[in-house]
Amino acid sequence: MIFGRSERGKPPVEPVTLKILVAGGFGVGKTTLVGAVSEIRPLRTEELLTEAGRPVDDVRGVEGKRTTTVAMDFGRITLREDLVLYLFGTPGQERFWFMWDELSEGALGAVVLADTRRLEDCFAAVDYFERRSIPFVVGVNCFEGAVRHPAEDVRRALDLDDGVPLLMCDARERESVKEVLIEVVQHAMALAANRRRALAT
Ligand SMILES: Nc1nc2c(ncn2[C@@H]2O[C@H](COP(=O)(O)OP(=O)(O)OP(=O)(O)O)[C@@H](O)[C@H]2O)c(=O)[nH]1
Ligand SMILES: [Mg+2]
């Protein structure tokens, strides 16, 4: 009789955990994205948008929006049994941006979510990660009814480097969001490998 190792007999794998940021302008769907893929009940820090905030909170395009993130969103997704991502959604409004430095500490990479109706809202996020050399991919959240621009146009408008991946996505769809997250991990790993090669030569 052959004594193979049964599935159950396998030693448990200690998964690698990676931290990924989800950034972008106000109301682009960051909280929605984290909620769509998280396997734990996402931690949210939503506050009601108030009448008093109306002059500063630009809700054009997301008129149905009632709340906004004031600190962060937190979620977790197991991509493979040996790879777990911790997701940190940033607050979108400028007055909470002081949180970003804290949140980006130790991050492997980031997703910059963009809404093509308000593309300029994600300039600051693109700029932020470029300056700090944090690998990022751009996810264009395809809201229904939004004017859909071809990826090339969005890339040009954001003045993205050729190497930065850009994907169309739906922040409400688990599978769509997973694709974006896999892209961030692969992109960050590829950049890290390039850097190692460059150092070795
Ligand atoms: N139709 C459509 N609506 C979406 C999509 N993603 C988000 N929404 C809606 O858009 C609004 C904004 O979503 P949030 O996830 O709160 O956006 P956010 O980026 O976290 O916003 P802040 O934290 O305030 O910056 C919500 O009303 C969502 O239901 C999408 O892909 N399609
Ligand atoms: Mg939010």
Side-chain angles (χ1 to χ4, degrees):
M1 189 175 168
I2 300 163
F3 290 96
R5 285 183 106 179
S6 69
E7 274 297 305
R8 230 184 286 153
K10 269 191 190 167
V13 251
E14 196 57 49
V16 172
T17 57
L18 301 171
K19 176 177 178 180
I20 303 288
L21 292 188
V22 181
F26 172 59
V28 288
K30 302 176 292 296
T31 300
T32 305
L33 182 149
V34 174
V37 290
S38 184
E39 59 209 10
I40 53 172
R41 194 152 65 91
L43 168 76
R44 291 185 175 153
T45 57
E46 296 294 287
E47 291 292 343
L48 281 174
L49 283 166
T50 60
E51 207 43 53
R54 206 162 281 282
V56 272
D57 302 333
D58 182 2
V59 289
R60 266 175 303 157
V62 279
E63 285 81 2
K65 196 166 162 55
R66 294 281 168 266
T67 63
T68 188
T69 305
V70 294
M72 65 168 188
D73 303 303
F74 176 73
R76 187 190 70 198
I77 175 173
T78 305
L79 280 187
R80 283 193 323 236
E81 65 167 345
D82 58 348
L83 181 60
V84 172
L85 302 187
Y86 286 109
L87 305 175
F88 289 77
T90 58
Q93 297 189 79
E94 281 184 48
R95 63 179 187 276
F96 300 121
W97 281 2
F98 61 89
M99 290 291 304
W100 286 34
D101 288 337
E102 201 115 341
L103 289 175
S104 62
E105 192 82 16
L108 173 84
V111 176
V112 173
L113 258 193
D115 175 351
T116 51
R117 300 167 303 180
R118 330 189 314 159
L119 211 48
E120 64 284 359
D121 286 11
C122 75
F123 287 170
V126 167
D127 202 45
Y128 183 91
F129 298 118
E130 273 177 353
R131 275 169 203 267
R132 286 162 184 78
S133 301
I134 296 175
F136 68 97
V137 305
V138 174
V140 180
N141 191 13
C142 300
F143 284 84
E144 292 127 346
V147 185
R148 304 231 175 143
H149 301 287
E152 264 324 298
D153 291 0
V154 178
R155 182 178 279 288
R156 209 168 318 121
L158 293 178
D159 196 20
L160 289 184
D161 282 345
D162 286 344
V164 176
L166 181 140
L167 298 84
M168 300 292 162
C169 68
D170 186 329
R172 300 163 303 174
E173 295 287 334
R174 185 180 160 82
E175 287 308 311
S176 172
V177 173
K178 254 176 102 171
E179 267 176 41
V180 178
L181 295 174
I182 290 168
E183 190 70 34
V184 188
V185 174
Q186 285 177 342
H187 179 55
M189 297 290 190
L191 289 183
N194 284 348
R195 226 171 289 146
R196 270 199 304 275
R197 257 196 302 276
L199 284 175
T201 52

